């Protein structure tokens, strides 16, 4: 039986990428349904060569759906994802709402594919935060080889992580500055054009941001709670593609050559690492790609078993839409659903 798949939030950045990736990967769907808010009802979204007519979420019957990929904000997800799950659809949710729920598996297939087996408790599986997903694709093989004791991560996150309005803001603000239009350039609370903003999501009690907390908490849930991880998450004037500078300290020796060898064979990873001009990946080059790229692999001699790496990935793909589709593929691979 081929599968009926609903993409909920189909008109947003991530929803549109989910539709693209379902088609690119030839996911075995007999029908793909685009669902969004009432105001988008009747509009069209692309699905390969086809166009889908958007259906209204508040009127949608999930009982006919096998898999519902949710790409909505937390509030909408909190209301509708449980309804979809109770109606029989397996929900794969990209919001942060269920990620830390004890009965909801949080999954990056290259890291903890077996965790999908626990989906039956709530019929919901959570996608991790985009910056966590790409990081763990790179860290998992290194952790298996030499046990990560401590990780220090600095992220350089593109504006698409906070939605299409933020992309428009970067474009219009940059243009306003270049054409010397102070009125347009100054309408935004914080200038992102030609700037970096060390603040993503809300501030926590301890002075970190919730984005930084997510990277720690989600790493502990998916990989190993013993890893001491600290993160600084920064918004940068890039449209798509998150970059991360990661410093690692291992329990066991691991040279940069051994690390490069391991990463070059690891699932989802593509190593581009030459010590010359252009011998590394930049966010512009990862857009539209499935890979998590790793560059600048080098020893950190300041500690006993240290390593530095540079990790780049399309945050709308591996960071969200691709990972969600891969979770659906994993459900098939592990025999939970039959295509
Ligand atoms: C961001 N990771 O980049 C957050 C949510 N996608 O804004």
């Amino acid at each position: 039986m081929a599968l009926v798949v609903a993409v909920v939030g189909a008109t947003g950045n991530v929803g549109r990428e989910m539709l693209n990736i379902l088609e690119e990967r030839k996911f075995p769907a007999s029908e793909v349904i685009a669902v969004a808010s009432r105001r988008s009802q009747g509009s069209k979204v692309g699905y390969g060569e086809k166009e889908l007519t958007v259906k209204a979420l508040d009127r949608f019957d999930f009982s006919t759906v096998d898999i519902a990929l949710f790409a909505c904000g937390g509030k909408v997800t909190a209301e509708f994802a449980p309804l979809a799950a109770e109606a029989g659809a397996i929900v794969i949710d990209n919001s942060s709402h269920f990620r830390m729920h004890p009965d909801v598996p949080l999954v990056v297939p290259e890291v903890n594919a077996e965790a999908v087996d626990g989906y039956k408790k709530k019929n919901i599986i959570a996608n991790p935060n985009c910056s966590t997903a790409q990081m763990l694709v790179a860290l998992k093989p290194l952790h298996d080889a030499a046990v990560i004791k401590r990780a220090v991560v600095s992220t350089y996150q593109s504006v698409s992580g906070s939605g299409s309005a933020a992309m428009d803001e970067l474009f219009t603000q940059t243009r306003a500055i270049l054409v010397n239009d102070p009125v347009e350039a100054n309408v935004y609370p914080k200038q992102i054009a030609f700037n970096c903003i060390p603040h993503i999501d809300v501030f926590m009690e301890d002075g970190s941001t919730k984005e930084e907390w997510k990277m720690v908490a989600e790493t502990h849930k998916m990989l190993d709670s013993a890893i001491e991880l600290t993160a600084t998450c920064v918004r940068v004037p890039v449209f798509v593609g998150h970059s991360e500078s990661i410093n690692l300290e291992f329990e066991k020796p691991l040279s940069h050559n051994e690390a490069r060898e391991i990463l070059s064979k690891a699932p989802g990873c593509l190593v581009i690492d030459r010590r010359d001009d252009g011998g590394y990946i930049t966010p512009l080059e990862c857009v539209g790609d499935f890979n998590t790229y790793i560059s600048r692999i080098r020893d950190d001699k300041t500690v006993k078993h240290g390593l530095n790496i540079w990790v780049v990935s399309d945050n709308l793909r591996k960071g969200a839409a691709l990972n969600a589709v891969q979770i659906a593929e994993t459900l098939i691979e592990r025999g939970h659903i039959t295509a």
Side-chain angles (χ1 to χ4, degrees):
M1 109 194 155
L3 299 167
V4 177
V5 179
V7 174
V8 185
T11 56
N13 277 346
V14 172
R16 289 176 187 277
E17 277 299 339
M18 285 174 170
L19 290 167
N20 293 338
I21 292 169
L22 284 168
E23 204 281 331
E24 286 170 37
R25 293 174 74 92
K26 301 297 178 238
F27 186 83
S30 57
E31 186 185 3
V32 175
I33 305 166
V35 184
S37 63
R38 180 88 66 89
R39 70 172 179 277
S40 301
Q41 184 177 4
S43 63
K44 303 285 188 188
V45 287
Y47 172 58
E49 300 295 313
K50 297 180 202 154
E51 271 201 331
L52 303 178
T53 303
V54 176
K55 300 193 184 316
L57 175 55
D58 59 359
R59 294 181 174 149
F60 188 71
D61 174 10
F62 283 97
S63 63
T64 60
V65 169
D66 297 296
I67 297 174
L69 303 179
F70 268 68
C72 311
K75 192 164 169 289
V76 172
T77 298
E79 181 181 351
F80 289 97
L83 298 177
E86 283 148 27
I90 300 176
V91 171
I92 300 172
D93 172 34
N94 191 55
S95 83
S96 58
H97 188 77
F98 291 104
R99 284 178 188 155
M100 302 316 291
H101 191 294
D103 292 340
V104 173
L106 178 65
V107 179
V108 174
E110 295 89 340
V111 177
N112 64 334
E114 71 287 346
V116 301
D117 298 348
Y119 79 93
K120 292 192 178 83
K121 289 179 189 160
K122 290 186 75 68
N123 221 25
I124 297 174
I125 302 170
N127 230 19
N129 191 38
C130 40
S131 51
T132 310
Q134 70 182 68
M135 175 179 72
L136 293 189
V137 168
L139 265 50
K140 160 72 174 170
L142 300 178
H143 186 60
D144 288 349
V147 185
I148 297 168
K149 186 164 75 172
R150 183 170 185 261
V152 181
V153 189
S154 297
T155 72
Y156 308 81
Q157 296 179 224
S158 63
V159 296
S160 55
S162 55
S164 45
M167 297 172 78
D168 295 343
E169 172 183 332
L170 175 58
F171 176 79
T172 47
Q173 210 178 89
T174 304
R175 183 181 56 189
I177 291 166
L178 291 176
V179 301
N180 197 16
D181 171 355
V183 172
E184 174 66 32
N186 292 321
V187 298
Y188 304 96
K190 259 287 190 241
Q191 179 179 321
I192 181 62
F194 310 104
N195 203 5
C196 294
I197 300 175
H199 173 199
I200 298 176
D201 209 322
V202 297
F203 275 98
M204 314 280 284
E205 275 296 300
D206 67 357
S208 67
T209 62
K210 195 165 185 185
E211 188 79 356
E212 291 151 358
W213 172 85
K214 287 174 187 175
M215 294 190 81
V216 178
E218 294 172 17
T219 296
H220 288 170
K221 183 170 180 178
M222 285 189 283
L223 185 55
D224 187 333
S225 57
I227 294 175
E228 294 183 336
L229 187 141
T230 184
T232 300
C233 296
V234 181
R235 189 73 74 197
V236 295
V238 168
F239 285 108
V240 179
H242 284 356
S243 306
E244 297 174 346
S245 168
I246 306 176
N247 174 266
L248 298 167
E249 194 175 347
F250 297 95
E251 298 287 0
K252 305 174 199 169
L254 183 78
S255 73
H256 70 275
N257 285 322
E258 289 165 332
R260 188 177 296 107
E261 182 65 23
I262 289 165
L263 290 166
S264 60
K265 295 177 184 143
C269 293
L270 185 55
V271 172
I272 294 184
D273 188 33
R274 298 187 319 276
R275 297 179 173 182
D276 58 31
D277 292 356
Y280 42 81
I281 192 74
T282 66
L284 277 180
E285 296 156 295
C286 79
V287 178
D289 207 316
F290 288 157
N291 293 305
T292 293
Y293 289 91
I294 299 105
S295 302
R296 303 296 322 280
I297 304 168
R298 63 205 189 281
D299 296 326
D300 168 14
K301 300 288 188 195
T302 65
V303 292
K304 197 171 174 195
H305 306 311
L307 188 78
N308 287 310
I309 58 175
W310 172 251
V311 179
V312 173
S313 195
D314 182 326
N315 55 290
L316 298 178
R317 294 198 147 212
K318 186 54 198 172
L322 170 63
N323 199 71
V325 173
Q326 285 176 301
I327 290 172
E329 292 169 346
T330 303
L331 285 167
I332 297 171
E333 287 156 16
R334 298 183 70 85
H336 294 297
I337 46 177
T338 311

